[in-house]
């Protein structure tokens, strides 16, 4: 992917509990965490896949909306 290319793929994450973590994983050979954002109940994060971010991991209870539909993550 071009260095400055960002996709149009927005992902909406709404925390349904306190302490939901939205974790960005790096693009490329090396897949590692590069950012972790903590959301409290009711908070919303709107994120994109970028040249830095190839995957997003969500820990905790949340509603996730993307172009592929809606999914709910759960707590342990
Ligand atoms: N600096 C990161 C980037 O440009 C910010 C980011 C974008 C991010 N999407 C994310 C961080 C998803 C966590 C999760 O890639």
């Amino acid at each position: 992917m071009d260095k400055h290319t960002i996709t149009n793929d927005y992902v909406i994450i709404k925390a349904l509990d306190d302490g939901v973590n939205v974790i960005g994983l790096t693009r490329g050979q090396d897949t590692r965490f590069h950012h972790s954002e903590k959301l409290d109940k009711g908070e919303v994060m709107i994120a994109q896949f970028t040249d830095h971010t190839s995957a997003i991991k969500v820990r905790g209870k949340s509603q996730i909306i993307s172009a592929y539909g809606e999914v709910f993550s759960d707590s342990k």
Side-chain angles (χ1 to χ4, degrees):
M1 196 181 287
D2 178 77
K3 205 169 182 314
H4 299 291
T5 300
I6 51 175
T7 70
N8 292 318
D9 293 330
Y10 282 92
V11 178
I12 301 169
I13 300 124
K14 180 178 181 179
L16 299 178
D17 265 345
D18 285 344
V20 169
N21 273 294
V22 179
I23 300 157
L25 292 100
T26 54
R27 187 176 297 284
Q29 198 92 358
D30 208 32
T31 307
R32 56 179 173 74
F33 290 12
H34 69 73
H35 186 91
S36 179
E37 196 69 38
K38 199 160 236 168
L39 305 181
D40 282 334
K41 190 170 181 172
E43 289 185 326
V44 171
M45 181 164 168
I46 303 165
Q48 285 176 296
F49 291 97
T50 67
D51 54 327
H52 286 125
T53 306
S54 66
I56 298 170
K57 173 175 174 172
V58 180
R59 297 190 69 160
K61 196 174 177 188
S62 76
Q63 177 187 19
I64 301 163
I65 300 168
S66 74
Y68 299 98
E70 180 188 39
V71 69
F72 289 85
S73 64
D74 224 328
S75 56
K76 272 205 232 172

